[in-house]
Amino acid sequence: MGATRKTRGLLIVISAPSGGGKTTICEHLLRKDPRLVRSVSATTREPRGQEREGRDYFFLKPAVFDRRAKQGAFLEWAQVHGHCYGTPWREVRRRQAQGRDVVLTIDVQGGLSVRRQDPRAVLIFVKPPSLGVLQARLQGRGTDSRETIRRRLKNARWEMSQARAYDYSVVNDTLAQAVAQIETIIAAERLRTPTEKKQRPAGNRRT
Ligand code: ADP
Ligand code: 5GP
């Protein structure tokens, strides 16, 4: 066999309404698959619970976030639930160039923005079994105030209506099953024929 060709890794977007389970699912995926790496976003919101700088988010002051956004540091950025969130561009492309598949756990606005910039991105929407279950999971997580939960549930309705624009939709009922379904999607995407191979060879054309 010849030298292995290093192909660019996948860009995988996982979106869900807040409390839908994308963080939990992503942790399971990363634990099982060393080819995956999660992109760490920047945000202007305060850290909550056990969150750590650089592991969960880069926590930035609004003025710093604004400056970086203007400098074009983000692949996409959006205001979500009253705070700014953005995906640092350079780190994503560096990891992809190394052949790693990069997972973004971002909101729907961000997912659609990534799609516009990179048509090859794989968009997966994670749905809770119902809004009632979503509310119970947000309350059970114990990290958000009642007002925050109320605002997140209100946004959830709109976010769920955007699932149609995604390539795949997975219901997060049983965690193990949702993880397995996303693993199947990733496995299939890795087997996709590269676009250039699908073009008809020039020699077949009649002149
Ligand atoms: P997100 O990152 O989308 O905001 P999380 O991953 O934080 O959501 O999940 C919200 C809460 O729901 C967490 O407490 C998590 O442990 C719980 N959770 C996630 N998936 C499931 C599931 N399939 N069944 C029960 N609880 C779940
Ligand atoms: P949380 O405050 O619960 O961590 O995240 C709130 C929302 O912001 C979630 O829907 C999460 O996916 C989204 N989010 C996190 N990082 C990014 C990002 O870099 N870009 C966008 N557009 N949304 C993000």
Side-chain angles (χ1 to χ4, degrees):
M1 294 290 270
T4 50
R5 186 169 61 98
K6 194 177 271 177
T7 47
R8 195 175 100 136
L10 299 171
L11 188 54
I12 302 164
V13 173
I14 301 184
S15 297
S18 185
K22 58 194 169 304
T23 308
T24 309
I25 289 173
C26 186
E27 278 167 10
H28 280 74
L29 293 171
L30 293 178
R31 223 175 282 148
K32 291 166 78 178
D33 186 344
R35 221 167 117 181
L36 294 176
V37 61
R38 186 175 83 89
S39 160
V40 178
S41 295
T43 182
T44 57
R45 84 152 162 76
E46 294 294 317
R48 67 178 180 226
Q50 302 296 308
E51 285 181 335
R52 276 218 324 260
E53 168 72 17
R55 184 193 65 181
D56 300 288
Y57 282 106
F58 296 105
F59 296 97
L60 304 182
K61 296 264 175 277
V64 178
F65 190 101
D66 272 4
R67 194 169 62 240
R68 299 226 179 134
K70 285 191 185 114
Q71 288 166 344
F74 300 125
L75 179 61
E76 60 72 37
W77 72 270
Q79 271 212 24
V80 192
H81 315 308
H83 296 286
C84 293
Y85 294 82
T87 303
W89 189 93
R90 197 185 294 190
E91 185 63 7
V92 169
R93 293 305 190 209
R94 189 178 74 82
R95 293 303 208 163
Q96 281 188 284
Q98 291 171 341
R100 302 287 295 275
D101 298 326
V102 183
V103 182
L104 312 183
T105 49
I106 63 176
D107 91 313
V108 171
Q109 306 169 75
L112 299 179
S113 167
V114 168
R115 156 65 34 90
R116 284 193 290 277
Q117 292 174 67
D118 187 347
R120 286 178 294 181
V122 180
L123 268 58
I124 305 171
F125 196 92
V126 173
K127 286 181 174 173
S130 68
L131 285 172
V133 171
L134 182 66
Q135 181 170 3
R137 286 185 185 163
L138 277 169
Q139 286 164 346
R141 186 165 71 182
T143 52
D144 305 284
S145 68
R146 270 164 70 163
E147 171 54 23
T148 303
I149 291 179
R150 196 195 57 76
R151 194 199 288 209
R152 288 177 181 223
L153 283 171
K154 194 164 152 246
N155 285 351
R157 291 173 210 278
W158 175 79
E159 288 166 322
M160 305 262 280
S161 74
Q162 300 301 305
R164 283 175 315 216
Y166 275 56
D167 299 309
Y168 301 96
S169 188
V170 169
V171 177
N172 180 17
D173 191 348
T174 313
L175 183 61
Q177 193 178 17
V179 171
Q181 287 178 348
I182 294 182
E183 284 173 330
T184 305
I185 294 166
I186 294 172
E189 289 291 336
R190 284 175 176 161
L191 294 172
R192 235 180 225 286
T193 314
T195 318
E196 62 268 21
K197 279 197 190 157
K198 290 194 203 121
Q199 287 166 3
R200 187 194 288 257
N204 283 359
R205 284 194 212 116
R206 302 181 100 184
T207 48

